[in-house]
Amino acid sequence: EARDRYTQDKSWCGWHVFSHHFEDCTAKTWSKWQLSHGGETHVITANRLNYRYIPALSFYEHCLNFIKQHPNIDLHLSTPVLNLDVNQVSCENCVYSADRVFDARESQIDWRSLKDRDNYLLQCFYGWKVKTSNAVFDQDCVTLMDFPEQQSEGINFMYCLPLSQTEALLEPTYFLHHSKIPSRDHFLQLAENYMQKRYNCYDFEFSQEESGILPMVYKKNKSKNAIKHPIKIGTAGGLLRPSTGYAFYAIQRFIKKIAANIDNDPASYNLRKYSKLGLWMDQVFLRACRGNPAQAAQFFLRMFEKVEPDSVARFMHDEARWSDYLQVILAMPKIKFIKSSLRQGVRNRSF
């Protein structure tokens, strides 16, 4: 591990579509969420699947406690990896050998591989924990997407997790199709303006900054033979859902498959991360959003308005049933998405 300590550097959120080992790390749960655009707001109430928030520090503490209780696990901080092989990890002062090597390090975005693709976007965000002197937040309802009336560059919106009436996690977010990422100061200005205009609040403080650039595109494994290469896991292994950016539940699902196959042929680790239909629909959706950025807000609003809440939740995490897929397809504008699907073509159905 390259870092020397763990901090509150990120957050994991999503609908609770199945149980996992980190239930106790959940800091907040919501049964309502909303989307807004141009004066139009849709508030959705959960049928069964609620929305959950796991702060990174709770997750790290859980894992560190687990490691302390298991002497057969060693954690080496301040130890960056210099080189990886199929059964060897090389660091500055030591070399570790193992039967299996798993690599969850986030890699740099390969801009050259993306520049000719018209079915990808980049999700770019900065987030801050905001503390106010007065009660301004509705702590029972998440703001998933609050789109400005006019989209200035790409697709942008505000994401707000109300932790109490006076605290929230606020994340200005862009979906972009180029590498010209707005500056941190730009994101900070968006957050400040939002607090003033949306909540008429001028007395607030920001803390606990986090940020990310997430490629909204499916990453195929370069190697079909896990015997000859370290096994990529996490977002590095293509477990980020292309159309949503959600990854936490997909990672838990995939790690379960890894654990079940740990004694088998390493080639079995190249298990499918997402369903073929789900990935194809992602590509169509991303192509439609990129080709129609001014209408992207309505695409999201229509889906959340017309599709059952549990169906949306399952679709977002690739746990969808056939009836869920059908609801999502019927909710989308027909002409734009038919054009997008024709451009995507049947050639990419086999991922």
Side-chain angles (χ1 to χ4, degrees):
E1 172 64 85
R3 71 186 102 182
D4 59 2
R5 61 192 175 94
Y6 292 98
T7 61
Q8 179 52 43
D9 59 347
K10 63 184 68 175
S11 302
W12 290 285
C13 299
W15 286 271
H16 190 55
V17 291
F18 58 77
S19 298
H20 52 77
H21 292 297
F22 304 100
E23 304 282 343
D24 293 342
C25 300
T26 302
K28 181 77 173 175
T29 298
W30 297 269
S31 58
K32 287 198 305 182
W33 45 88
Q34 65 179 19
L35 292 86
S36 300
H37 176 241
E40 179 183 357
T41 297
H42 293 297
V43 179
I44 298 97
T45 301
N47 292 337
R48 184 178 61 88
L49 304 176
N50 52 37
Y51 197 78
R52 298 192 176 190
Y53 160 63
I54 296 178
L57 200 54
S58 296
F59 176 87
Y60 296 145
E61 289 172 352
H62 177 97
C63 294
L64 291 172
N65 288 333
F66 182 88
I67 290 171
K68 286 179 182 178
Q69 295 169 17
H70 294 78
N72 60 320
I73 303 175
D74 293 323
L75 173 64
H76 298 270
L77 298 175
S78 302
T79 310
V81 173
L82 301 180
N83 188 48
L84 283 181
D85 202 346
V86 62
N87 57 5
Q88 200 169 77
V89 181
S90 300
C91 301
E92 185 173 359
N93 298 315
C94 53
V95 176
Y96 301 95
S97 297
D99 293 334
R100 307 278 188 270
V101 173
F102 298 92
D103 184 9
R105 298 172 303 160
E106 296 182 9
S107 55
Q108 296 292 321
I109 296 173
D110 185 355
W111 299 107
R112 287 186 300 177
S113 69
L114 293 177
K115 67 177 182 178
D116 295 327
R117 300 184 63 165
D118 60 355
N119 59 355
Y120 87 94
L121 290 168
L122 294 176
Q123 182 179 154
C124 316
F125 67 89
Y126 271 85
W128 292 271
K129 189 174 183 179
V130 56
K131 173 74 174 176
T132 65
S133 56
N134 299 318
V136 299
F137 301 111
D138 178 359
Q139 63 181 342
D140 297 322
C141 185
V142 174
T143 297
L144 291 178
M145 292 176 153
D146 190 349
F147 295 92
E149 192 161 354
Q150 299 294 327
Q151 296 290 320
S152 57
E153 178 76 18
I155 303 162
N156 66 295
F157 58 90
M158 191 64 66
Y159 176 64
C160 181
L161 295 176
L163 306 177
S164 71
Q165 291 183 318
T166 58
E167 284 186 318
L169 177 64
L170 199 63
E171 290 187 354
T173 304
Y174 276 90
F175 292 168
L176 300 172
H177 63 271
H178 53 70
S179 59
K180 297 178 182 177
I181 311 300
S183 67
R184 174 188 178 276
D185 289 343
H186 175 78
F187 283 97
L188 181 59
Q189 189 65 57
L190 288 177
E192 291 175 345
N193 291 345
Y194 188 80
M195 289 299 299
Q196 295 168 5
K197 294 179 181 179
R198 171 65 176 82
Y199 297 107
N200 194 29
C201 179
Y202 294 83
D203 187 7
F204 54 84
E205 293 181 352
F206 288 147
S207 63
Q208 294 185 2
E209 179 178 309
E210 56 188 71
S211 62
I213 302 175
L214 309 177
M216 301 173 71
V217 63
Y218 179 60
K219 295 167 64 177
K220 295 182 180 179
N221 285 342
K222 291 183 179 180
S223 171
K224 294 183 179 179
N225 191 345
I227 297 175
K228 298 180 180 179
H229 297 270
I231 300 154
K232 293 281 190 179
I233 58 175
T235 56
L239 286 161
L240 192 78
R241 181 73 191 266
S243 65
T244 65
Y246 288 113
F248 186 83
Y249 281 87
I251 292 171
Q252 308 315 310
R253 182 172 57 228
F254 189 66
I255 291 302
K256 270 185 159 182
K257 294 179 181 178
I258 291 273
N261 288 274
I262 196 70
D263 294 325
N264 298 333
D265 184 340
S268 66
Y269 297 154
N270 283 326
L271 301 167
R272 183 169 296 280
K273 283 93 171 177
Y274 289 105
S275 66
K276 288 184 179 181
L277 179 57
L279 283 173
W280 188 80
M281 289 179 65
D282 278 2
Q283 303 294 340
V284 172
F285 187 81
L286 289 169
R287 191 184 296 275
C289 286
R290 178 166 171 169
N292 305 274
Q295 286 81 49
Q298 284 303 314
F299 297 163
F300 284 101
L301 261 67
R302 286 183 65 148
M303 179 166 60
F304 278 87
E305 178 191 12
K306 296 179 180 294
V307 179
E308 288 292 323
D310 283 359
S311 295
V312 171
R314 288 190 293 264
F315 177 75
M316 290 289 183
H317 293 294
D318 201 47
E319 291 285 322
R321 305 165 183 170
W322 282 104
S323 58
D324 301 332
Y325 287 125
L326 182 59
Q327 285 190 61
V328 172
I329 291 170
L330 293 176
M332 294 296 101
K334 301 301 178 292
I335 295 177
K336 287 184 173 63
F337 275 76
I338 288 173
K339 288 181 178 179
S340 178
S341 64
L342 290 174
R343 291 192 187 101
Q344 180 63 27
V346 297
R347 66 186 183 278
N348 289 328
R349 284 187 299 176
S350 298
F351 290 92

